[in-house]
C-alpha cells in the first residue's frame, strides 16, 4: 500500500485533516503533513503544543483483515518511532505507555491514535507530533527536542520520508507474513 503525501502550510490539526480526507472518499490512505498546526490534539482531550518547526503528521488508512488491528498498531507505533528517532540521538528513548516517547524523562514525541468507521470500513488515524526543533515549556509536562539533545540540525523531511517508507514496508511485509520491525 502506498501512502499519498498531502502537505499543508498550516492546519488546525493534522488528524482533523485526515478525517476530512477519509470522509471525502477521495483518499483512502495517506499522510497529512503540515509545517504548523494551531490546535493539535493529544489523548483524553489534552492539547498538543505545536511550535512551528516541529514535526506534525497523521498517517491514515483503511484497516483490512490482513493487517494488524488497531490494538496491535497502538503497540507498533511507538516501537517504530523509537527506532526511527534513535537515529537522531545516542540517548536512550523510552516508551511511556500508551503513546509517548521520552528521553531522560522528558517528552519528545506523542502519538494520538483514533479510528473512524464509514460505511462498514474501519480507518486507522495515527497522529504523530515530534519536538524536533523546539521543546514546549509547560508546568504540566517536561519536554525536550531532538535538536537540543543532538546539537545538530534535524530535517523534518528526512523523518517524514523515513516514516513513510517504514509504514509502506510494514504493509508489504505483513502481507508476506514477515517480521516488520
Amino acid at each position: 500500500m502506498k501512502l499519498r503525501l498531502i502537505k499543508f502550510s498550516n492546519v488546525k490539526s493534522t488528524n482533523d485533516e485526515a478525517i476530512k480526507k477519509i470522509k471525502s472518499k477521495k483518499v483512502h490512505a495517506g499522510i497529512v503533513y503540515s509545517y504548523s498546526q494551531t490546535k493539535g490534539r493529544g489523548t483524553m482531550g489534552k492539547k498538543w503544543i505545536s511550535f512551528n518547526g516541529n514535526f506534525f503528521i497523521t498517517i491514515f488508512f483503511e484497516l483490512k483483515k490482513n493487517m494488524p488491528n488497531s490494538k496491535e498498531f497502538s503497540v507498533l507505533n511507538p516501537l517504530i518511532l523509537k527506532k526511527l528517532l534513535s537515529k537522531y540521538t545516542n540517548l536512550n528513548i523510552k516508551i511511556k505507555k500508551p503513546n509517548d516517547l521520552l528521553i531522560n524523562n522528558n517528552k519528545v514525541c506523542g502519538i494520538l491514535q483514533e479510528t473512524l468507521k464509514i460505511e462498514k470500513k474501519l480507518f486507522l488515524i495515527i497522529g504523530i507530533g515530534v519536538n524536533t526543533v523546539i521543546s514546549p515549556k509547560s508546568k504540566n509536562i517536561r519536554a525536550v527536542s531532538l535538536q537540543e539533545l543532538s546539537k545538530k540540525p534535524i530535517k523534518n523531511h528526512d523523518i517524514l520520508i523515513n516514516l513513510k517508507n517504514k509504514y509502506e514496508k510494514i504493509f508489504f511485509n505483513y502481507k508476506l507474513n514477515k517480521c516488520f520491525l
Side-chain angles (χ1 to χ4, degrees):
M1 172 190 321
K2 290 286 184 190
L3 296 169
R4 179 175 158 198
L5 281 177
I6 305 161
K7 293 185 181 182
F8 291 93
S9 296
N10 185 25
V11 297
K12 288 183 180 178
S13 160
T14 56
N15 272 33
D16 291 347
E17 289 300 324
I19 290 167
K20 287 179 193 174
K21 294 294 179 191
I22 294 166
K23 287 181 176 180
S24 76
K25 300 179 186 173
K26 294 179 182 174
V27 183
H28 299 286
I31 298 177
V32 174
Y33 175 72
S34 183
Y35 296 103
S36 70
Q37 66 176 0
T38 56
K39 295 191 182 202
R41 294 187 280 119
T43 55
M44 297 183 273
K46 293 179 186 169
K47 180 181 175 184
W48 176 263
I49 301 170
S50 306
F51 284 121
N52 290 353
N54 285 342
F55 183 77
F56 319 108
I57 69 163
T58 297
I59 301 168
F60 67 95
F61 50 89
E62 182 183 348
L63 274 174
K64 303 211 177 191
K65 292 184 187 211
N66 64 341
M67 296 176 145
N69 63 39
S70 63
K71 287 183 182 181
E72 291 170 319
F73 267 108
S74 69
V75 173
L76 283 174
N77 294 325
L79 292 171
I80 292 165
L81 283 155
K82 178 181 176 180
K83 186 173 182 178
L84 176 67
L85 297 180
S86 292
K87 295 177 182 180
Y88 298 92
T89 179
N90 58 1
L91 299 171
N92 186 30
I93 299 175
K94 293 185 180 178
I95 297 171
K96 179 185 167 213
K97 291 184 180 184
N99 61 352
D100 291 337
L101 296 180
L102 307 177
I103 300 175
N104 296 333
N105 292 319
N106 294 297
K107 188 170 183 171
V108 72
C109 175
I111 305 164
L112 174 62
Q113 184 172 297
E114 303 176 288
T115 56
L116 177 65
K117 192 168 190 172
I118 296 184
E119 297 174 5
K120 298 183 182 178
K121 294 180 180 180
L122 185 63
F123 290 85
L124 189 63
I125 302 157
I126 306 162
I128 300 168
V130 181
N131 300 327
T132 51
V133 180
I134 302 166
S135 59
K137 304 300 179 217
S138 168
K139 53 185 167 182
N140 300 330
I141 298 170
R142 292 176 42 202
V144 70
S145 77
L146 288 175
Q147 189 166 295
E148 288 173 90
L149 294 171
S150 70
K151 308 288 191 236
K152 294 183 275 187
I154 304 296
K155 295 182 181 177
N156 288 337
H157 188 264
D158 291 345
I159 295 173
L160 173 65
I161 297 306
N162 286 325
L163 203 54
K164 179 182 185 296
N165 291 339
K166 186 65 173 173
Y167 275 87
E168 288 175 348
K169 187 176 176 183
I170 286 170
F171 299 138
F172 178 75
N173 287 337
Y174 196 79
K175 288 179 186 175
L176 300 176
N177 288 325
K178 292 182 180 179
C179 176
F180 41 81
L181 274 183

